[in-house]
Amino acid sequence: MWAHRSWQGRLLAHSLPSHERLRHYAGWCNAVEGNTTFYATPARETVASWARQTDPDFRFVLKLPKLVTHERRLTDADEALGGFLDAIEPLGPRAHALWIQLPGSFGPADVGVLARFLRRLPTSHRYAVEVRHPAFFADPRATRLLEAALAGTETEWVPFDTTAFFRTPPTSDAEREAWARKPRLPLRTVALTDRPVVRYLGRDDPALTVEGWRHWVEVTAGWLREGRSPTVFIHTPDNADAPVLARRFYDAVRAAVPGVEALPEPLPAEPATLF
């Protein structure tokens, strides 16, 4: 997501044309979740526009289409997968990882299907899997089974941390909606590869969001010291201040690991005036 209504005129310039929105977002953050690709494979020309709006080191973590992951459950989906891979080719190195989000019903009995799917994927991309079946977090045997399948293809396991969000009852409409939709899973902070990917959901109250991510600052700093290259996405139920919070998280990690480069300065949200 790089265009949010509440950001217009406040964080991003107001009423930007579609071919400028990502460029302005990239002034705030150096990575983005490609969640829209879950619902429809974009046109190759659209993806080429994304590449033109971003530097080569900008990171896209793009979700595979739901036809592949949820409807076909990783089987008999070669045509849809091939079309998706062809469409994102213009991104080149910007395609940091392809994100395989699996439904909550995809459990330990399905790990063999996942392993076969991963082995058939082209090695020109890196992959990251997000699972939501509780057994992978609660049953050590299921955890080891999944980790072994991912390790065979250097695939990362994406934790979606909602523990801070579910700590206290919701207090806004956005929080109540997320309360009903988001998964409740135990905290996981283990990286399997040199490119960990983390998704964190805080609260609409920035203070609670910051309090909930403190352990991720420590974990991310540790990964950087080990030579890993983590990508962390900061969410709140309404996402109104998500880019600001993401930069705040980044600065907290930089304070712990001073060698990390600063983020770029955002483009102005309003045109310059003479006064």
Side-chain angles (χ1 to χ4, degrees):
M1 180 176 68
W2 55 76
H4 194 285
R5 182 175 298 176
S6 69
W7 301 348
Q8 294 183 17
R10 188 169 62 92
L11 306 181
L12 309 180
H14 187 67
S15 299
L16 285 167
S18 59
H19 63 276
E20 287 287 323
R21 294 170 187 165
L22 176 55
R23 184 171 73 88
H24 279 241
Y25 169 89
W28 280 92
C29 300
N30 57 8
V32 72
E33 286 183 347
N35 191 52
T36 59
T37 55
F38 179 72
Y39 300 100
T41 295
R44 187 181 172 98
E45 294 77 13
T46 299
V47 177
S49 171
W50 300 349
R52 289 192 296 270
Q53 295 178 67
T54 53
D55 293 333
D57 59 352
F58 186 87
R59 298 180 178 186
F60 288 84
V61 177
L62 298 171
K63 192 184 290 189
L64 261 62
K66 66 177 180 179
L67 175 62
V68 176
T69 56
H70 286 56
E71 296 175 18
R72 300 287 176 82
R73 297 175 68 90
L74 309 183
T75 60
D76 300 322
D78 289 354
E79 183 176 353
L81 177 62
F84 173 77
L85 294 174
D86 179 71
I88 67 169
E89 192 274 335
L91 290 178
R94 298 168 185 81
H96 184 73
L98 302 188
W99 169 21
I100 305 168
Q101 185 186 77
L102 297 170
S105 60
F106 197 100
D110 302 302
V111 169
V113 174
L114 173 62
R116 289 190 292 274
F117 178 79
L118 293 173
R119 287 195 297 268
R120 296 179 63 238
L121 291 172
T123 57
S124 53
H125 289 289
R126 299 286 294 267
Y127 303 94
V129 170
E130 179 186 341
V131 292
R132 295 186 171 187
H133 194 289
F136 290 124
F137 302 85
D139 183 348
R141 292 172 298 178
T143 303
R144 291 193 297 269
L145 183 68
L146 178 59
E147 288 181 340
L150 300 178
T153 51
E154 296 187 12
T155 299
E156 190 53 79
W157 180 338
V158 181
F160 184 21
D161 180 12
T162 60
T163 56
F165 174 73
F166 284 112
R167 197 163 291 155
T168 55
T171 59
S172 69
D173 288 343
E175 288 187 349
R176 281 186 281 273
E177 181 182 357
W179 193 270
R181 293 173 48 244
K182 301 302 182 182
R184 303 188 188 206
L185 297 169
L187 178 65
R188 175 183 167 84
T189 60
V190 178
L192 301 181
T193 73
D194 62 344
R195 293 189 183 184
V197 179
V198 174
R199 307 180 66 228
Y200 167 77
L201 177 65
R203 298 295 293 258
D204 286 339
D205 181 345
L208 295 177
T209 297
V210 172
E211 178 63 31
W213 79 32
R214 295 190 188 282
H215 64 280
W216 283 115
V217 172
E218 298 172 4
V219 170
T220 304
W223 285 339
L224 288 165
R225 296 188 192 104
E226 294 169 359
R228 303 179 197 261
S229 184
T231 306
V232 181
F233 295 109
I234 304 297
H235 293 273
T236 65
D238 64 9
N239 278 320
D241 294 313
V244 177
L245 289 166
R247 291 177 71 91
R248 187 171 172 181
F249 178 88
Y250 194 98
D251 288 342
V253 173
R254 284 190 72 220
V257 188
V260 175
E261 293 184 7
L263 287 169
E265 284 300 313
L267 295 171
E270 297 180 358
T273 65
L274 296 175
F275 304 100

